[in-house]
Amino acid sequence: MKHPLLDIIALSLLVLFISCKSQRPLVNSEKSIAPKNVILLIGDGMGLSQISSSFYFGNTNPNFERFKHIGLIKTSSQNGLITDSAAGATAFSAGIKTYNGAIGVDSDTLAVELLTEIAAKKFISTGVVSTSSVTHATPASFYAHVRFRSQEEEIAAQLPRSSIDFIAGAGTDYFFKRKDHINLSTMFSNQGFILDTLALNRPKDFSLEHKIAFLLAPNHMPKMSEGRGHFLSKATQLGLEYLSQNENGFFLMVEGSQIDWGGHNNDSSYIIEEVRDFDRVIGEALDYAQKEGNTLVIVTADHETGGYTLASDKGNYNKIKGSFSTTGHSATLIPVFAFGPGSENFQGIYENNAIFHKIQNSVNWK
């Protein structure tokens, strides 16, 4: 006579087998998906309190709420517990820890291969958008190699010959009113660029046969409070429209530069307006990624600026004001938000240069 216990054991093993078998394809399918496109959004100087300001000042829910995969990065540079933007951005663009002030070079001042250069070798289009001069530390770290970030005229001279296909920001003085009196307009045209120094006008020939450069102010774009308008959103939209013509995919870095400047100025209103503008761009990137289904979106910062805190105003717990502990950078951990194929890889706590490697491992551009 068959023992009832044997029936129970057999049934349990069958249920376990079916459960394991049904779960296995989900795991395999997640691992098999590789994003075609990558959008990296960097809020310069944007720590957790800067991000939090978007939850308290504004009439809509911030787009940060749309992310499910969130991590933290440690931002120390090779030679400092507190990083500057150059070393911080080079960690993202080259996957190395380097010294403060370095742009696309290692601690021995040797040029290192950038993510945009790796992408270009795979015939992937690349773009950079910024509200600062495009020769500033963060955007420069995605196309240039110099020993010091202050070498902005040398950085400018490297842009036309770089692998960048689309660029939008400011900095005309570094290209056309240089101390060496060299006007780089000819270099742009020789390298196949359509150059616009007046406005974000979509050129008639918007094909990948030409590169596109928008340089719209002498040094940096105006503050939001000074009437910059939706430059960052419009430039990002143009960049996505242009770059997405490449069937091989694209990499786009967008920087909200002036969040950092609000921190340096200890100006809470400046921060709030710039974060709100940056959040609008996050929404557009997420909308694009949701529609296409093949795009990895990463939002982070190179460091926090100002030791910014959202504190009660004179003890009133229903009123918040921003306060600061420094006019420089701080060492606080920085959030990383990720969406799309490969986004699960960005959870946890890790070094800032790991973002480069996580992107590489997600897209298989090696």
Side-chain angles (χ1 to χ4, degrees):
M1 182 177 179
K2 199 172 182 182
H3 198 285
L5 181 59
L6 294 177
D7 290 335
I8 294 173
I9 293 172
L11 181 60
S12 299
L13 289 172
L14 179 62
V15 170
L16 180 61
F17 173 77
I18 293 171
S19 176
C20 291
K21 190 174 182 180
S22 64
Q23 291 177 15
R24 198 169 292 134
L26 280 176
V27 176
N28 289 338
S29 63
E30 286 180 0
K31 289 184 178 179
S32 65
I33 295 174
K36 177 181 176 181
N37 313 310
V38 177
I39 304 173
L40 175 60
L41 303 166
I42 301 174
D44 199 309
M46 185 183 71
L48 186 57
S49 288
Q50 284 85 347
I51 292 167
S52 300
S53 73
S54 65
F55 288 80
Y56 294 102
F57 301 95
N59 299 320
T60 58
N61 291 338
N63 287 291
F64 291 104
E65 284 191 344
R66 297 168 64 179
F67 292 92
K68 302 302 180 186
H69 296 119
I70 302 170
L72 293 169
I73 51 171
K74 297 175 276 186
T75 62
S76 296
S77 65
Q78 178 266 331
N79 69 334
L81 292 175
I82 298 176
T83 191
D84 80 328
S85 293
T90 298
F92 298 152
S93 68
I96 62 165
K97 292 277 190 177
T98 191
Y99 59 91
N100 287 345
I103 299 288
V105 298
D106 62 18
S107 56
D108 294 320
T109 72
L110 299 175
V112 287
E113 192 170 39
L114 306 178
L115 192 60
T116 49
E117 295 166 343
I118 295 169
K121 287 182 178 179
K122 297 293 184 179
F123 304 102
I124 292 163
S125 295
T126 61
V128 170
V129 177
S130 176
T131 55
S132 68
S133 167
V134 297
T135 60
H136 211 253
T138 301
S141 294
F142 286 85
Y143 66 84
H145 306 272
V146 297
R147 295 178 64 185
F148 302 108
R149 59 183 291 178
S150 58
Q151 299 172 263
E152 291 193 71
E153 289 196 355
E154 171 57 27
I155 291 168
Q158 292 185 28
L159 174 59
R161 297 190 299 266
S162 75
S163 59
I164 298 299
D165 300 296
F166 179 95
I167 194 155
T172 54
D173 281 357
Y174 301 106
F175 295 91
F176 314 123
K177 294 184 178 180
R178 298 161 56 88
K179 293 177 182 177
D180 60 11
H181 306 295
I182 297 174
N183 187 311
L184 298 182
S185 297
T186 302
M187 187 180 293
F188 273 108
S189 60
N190 288 343
Q191 297 298 322
F193 273 93
I194 295 175
L195 174 65
D196 194 327
T197 60
L198 299 177
L200 284 172
N201 294 317
R202 187 183 186 278
K204 291 181 180 178
D205 186 351
F206 204 51
S207 71
L208 295 177
E209 292 184 8
H210 296 282
K211 295 187 174 189
I212 308 291
F214 295 101
L215 302 173
L216 303 182
N219 192 274
H220 56 78
M221 298 302 294
K223 301 177 182 179
M224 284 299 291
S225 61
E226 294 172 343
R228 186 172 75 233
H230 296 322
F231 161 81
L232 195 61
S233 296
K234 291 178 180 177
T236 301
Q237 290 169 359
L238 276 173
L240 290 173
E241 182 183 353
Y242 171 80
L243 296 169
S244 61
Q245 297 176 90
N246 189 337
E247 294 181 355
N248 297 317
F250 66 80
F251 171 83
L252 175 64
M253 191 286 292
V254 180
E255 183 198 26
S257 319
Q258 298 188 35
I259 300 169
D260 174 66
W261 303 352
H264 282 300
N265 291 349
N266 283 186
D267 186 336
S268 185
S269 296
Y270 194 175
I271 289 172
I272 290 166
E273 288 297 318
E274 295 296 329
V275 171
R276 187 179 299 162
D277 182 50
F278 187 63
D279 182 70
R280 185 180 298 109
V281 176
I282 293 171
E284 290 167 358
L286 289 175
D287 289 346
Y288 178 90
Q290 281 186 317
K291 178 183 177 183
E292 298 298 325
N294 59 5
T295 302
L296 171 62
V297 178
I298 306 149
V299 179
T300 191
D302 45 3
H303 54 74
E304 192 276 340
T305 304
Y308 186 51
T309 302
L310 297 177
S312 64
D313 188 1
K314 299 179 181 178
N316 182 349
Y317 278 25
N318 287 313
K319 191 174 182 181
I320 295 172
K321 71 171 184 178
S323 61
F324 300 86
S325 64
T326 179
T327 56
H329 300 172
S330 73
T332 185
L333 299 184
I334 295 296
V336 181
F337 303 83
F339 177 89
S343 58
E344 66 279 358
N345 299 324
F346 292 83
Q347 298 177 113
I349 301 175
Y350 43 91
E351 297 289 346
N352 55 359
N353 60 314
I355 287 191
F356 169 94
H357 300 289
K358 289 176 183 293
I359 291 173
Q360 279 277 76
N361 292 334
S362 296
V363 297
N364 297 318
W365 288 348
K366 296 178 182 178

